Amino acid sequence: MRKINVITLGCSKNTVDSEHLMARLEAAGYEVVFDSDRTDAKVVVINTCGFIGDAKQESVDMILRAAAAKKAGKIERLFVIGCLSERYADELRAELPEVDDFFGARDWTGIARALGAPEGEELATERHLTTPRHYAYLKISEGCNWRCGYCAIPLIRGPHVSVPMEQLLEEARKLAAGGVKELMVIAQDTTYYGIDLYGRRRLAELLRELCRIEGLEWIRLHYAYPTGFPEEVIEVMASEPKICKYLDIPFQHISDRQLTAMKRHHTKAEAYELIRRLRTRIPDIALRTTLLVGYPGETEEDFEELLQFVRDIRFERLGVFAYSEEEGTYSALELRDDVPDEVKQQRVEHIMTLQREISLENNLRRVGRTGRVIIDSRQGDYYVGRSQYDSPEVDQEILIPAAGGRMLRGHFYPVRIVSAAEYDLYGERAEA
């Protein structure tokens, strides 16, 4: 049987794309592996990221490694797909003749055709999971219409396109039948779901339908754009027990000057009001956000407003990035990158120092509480699990001594939190 190695870089949306492609390759008779260190596959496909500088460099480095392997005769065919290829295919072709072909993030029929895999819709809901068997991502739409000033995603992925609800529900049912218990709903903006197909936002309806699927126990919502956040989504999160009390909502900034410059389409007051509504209706919700510092024109006053926002809201999960120009975006074309790199890095570190203090205080409040935990793995003397307040791969973990009894991966257990660190919790198995 032919063996093919699909290497996936970048975000969870890329993961889903690769999993769909791998199902098509298996239908064509390939044996599929997904480990960048495998050397026994003679065909390699690299699904790249082209979003920010570090991710682009990681993709380039991986392509160079594979190209060298091909030149040395270790692999026979090499294909590059995804976001980096969408943005820079011409440049990459000129520099890397070892690559057999490049296909963009919107050209899945091209790579399928090149490898002799089915191109039609009959396999649209099939996946070859690369995550642990008990959780998976469900990508409900492609692209984005917001065109924030710093973001290249609309240039790479195009405008917002929703996946029909019937197709998503069929895909989710197949995932549940295969053992998936936790489903992460993802898109560039999940709250915009349905507006292109149905003339209105239908995320709340989709979430309710997903809750009806037997076998799914946790449903988690990621990448919710704050502008125009649907009130009915707050209602369904408050009322459906299967939906985790967790929301990934990237605010990026809070200063009205910066929000306007970033083209974020909401104000500081509206952001605070949305958070008030979320925490009023869902008192135990864990909020994850992403912030961007050093955007053109960010003053010390703007940054102080952002620090105060972090102090006020006390996000349970927070990431922060320093601005870097992305060619073709509004900020790269129209604004001057006028914040020095060392100032950007100082601001990143200042926010993360503050967030470490907040995270520890939040975690200490959980000591003594007992909650439902799903087990992801065993590492040495500990089982590694998560509560509904933590998403896999990006959030903190709960470490439970293995000496307390056997626990099975993908199963739920009551766990009592006994101690806390800045980004981890320690627990012990409790009585059911």
Side-chain angles (χ1 to χ4, degrees), residues 46 61 87 112 114 149 173 236 360:
I46 304 175
D61 291 345
R87 295 191 78 183
R173 282 191 286 268
V236 75
L360 178 59

Side-chain angles (χ1 to χ4, degrees), residues 11 50 56 58 99 115 122 126 190 201 284 298 351 395:
C11 66
K56 286 188 284 189
E58 181 187 21
V99 177
L115 293 167
E122 66 276 6
E126 297 296 328
T190 51
R201 301 181 188 224
D284 58 340
E298 185 187 50
I351 288 180
D395 291 327

Side-chain angles (χ1 to χ4, degrees), residues 144-218:
C144 183
N145 287 358
W146 289 108
R147 292 192 171 274
C148 299
Y150 50 83
C151 185
I153 292 298
L155 304 175
I156 301 170
R157 293 278 181 170
H160 176 93
V161 179
S162 300
V163 179
M165 190 176 299
E166 297 77 12
Q167 181 176 322
L168 291 172
L169 294 175
E170 179 183 348
E171 186 175 329
R173 282 191 286 268
K174 288 179 178 178
L175 291 170
V180 168
K181 297 177 181 178
E182 179 181 8
L183 199 64
M184 270 69 66
V185 176
I186 60 171
Q188 195 60 33
D189 172 17
T190 51
T191 67
Y192 215 67
Y193 175 75
I195 202 162
D196 55 317
L197 290 181
Y198 310 112
R200 59 188 177 88
R201 301 181 188 224
R202 294 189 64 183
L203 176 61
E205 293 172 57
L206 174 63
L207 292 173
R208 288 197 188 279
E209 290 299 321
L210 291 172
C211 289
R212 306 285 86 80
I213 294 176
E214 185 176 352
L216 294 181
E217 298 193 42
W218 278 357

